[in-house]
């Protein structure tokens, strides 16, 4: 079969979280924090600062809105900060 790429087409896939894996949340959040430190501090890419701040604010808002996912949002916030702080 052939594979085609259409750069003007956007496909939306809604995120469905049924079985939330908290270890995956921790791992992904640590990685995002480390990546942001590498970009912002290491590569001096200041354009990533608003993106990273938005990724810190999003879990804060989620904790206040979606109480069922409070624990995952809290872990995401903590581990994003931890990944940024501890990456060398």
């Amino acid at each position: 079969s052939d594979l085609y790429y259409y750069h003007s087409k956007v496909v939306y896939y809604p995120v469905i979280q049924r079985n939330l894996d908290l270890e995956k949340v921790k791992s992904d959040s640590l990685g995002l924090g480390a990546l942001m430190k590498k970009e912002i501090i290491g590569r001096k890419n200041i354009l990533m600062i608003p993106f990273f701040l938005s990724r810190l604010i999003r879990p804060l808002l989620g904790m206040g809105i979606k109480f069922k996912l409070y624990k995952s949002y809290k872990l995401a916030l903590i581990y994003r900060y931890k990944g940024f702080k501890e990456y060398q």
Side-chain angles (χ1 to χ4, degrees):
S1 81
D2 295 327
L3 179 66
Y4 297 98
Y5 172 72
Y6 298 100
H7 69 280
S8 62
K9 301 292 181 189
V10 177
V11 178
Y12 173 74
Y13 293 100
V15 177
I16 299 172
Q17 295 179 338
R18 295 176 198 256
N19 296 323
L20 192 62
D21 182 3
L22 296 180
E23 290 304 313
K24 182 166 177 25
V25 170
K26 289 179 185 179
S27 175
D28 290 352
S29 297
L30 273 174
L32 178 65
L35 176 65
M36 291 298 103
K37 184 170 187 178
K38 182 179 180 180
E39 286 295 321
I40 295 169
I41 305 297
R43 295 183 179 163
K44 307 212 181 331
N45 185 356
I46 60 170
L47 297 175
M48 294 302 287
I49 293 172
F51 175 78
F52 186 54
L53 290 176
S54 74
R55 292 304 178 253
L56 290 177
I57 293 170
R58 178 184 266 177
L60 283 172
L61 295 173
M63 288 189 310
I65 297 171
K66 295 185 177 182
F67 297 113
K68 289 181 180 179
L69 299 174
Y70 180 87
K71 189 172 185 177
S72 66
Y73 283 122
K74 182 178 177 182
L75 287 174
L77 179 65
I78 291 169
Y79 279 83
R80 286 174 187 176
Y81 174 75
K82 186 176 180 179
F84 187 87
K85 182 179 173 191
E86 295 180 2
Y87 179 78
Q88 296 182 15

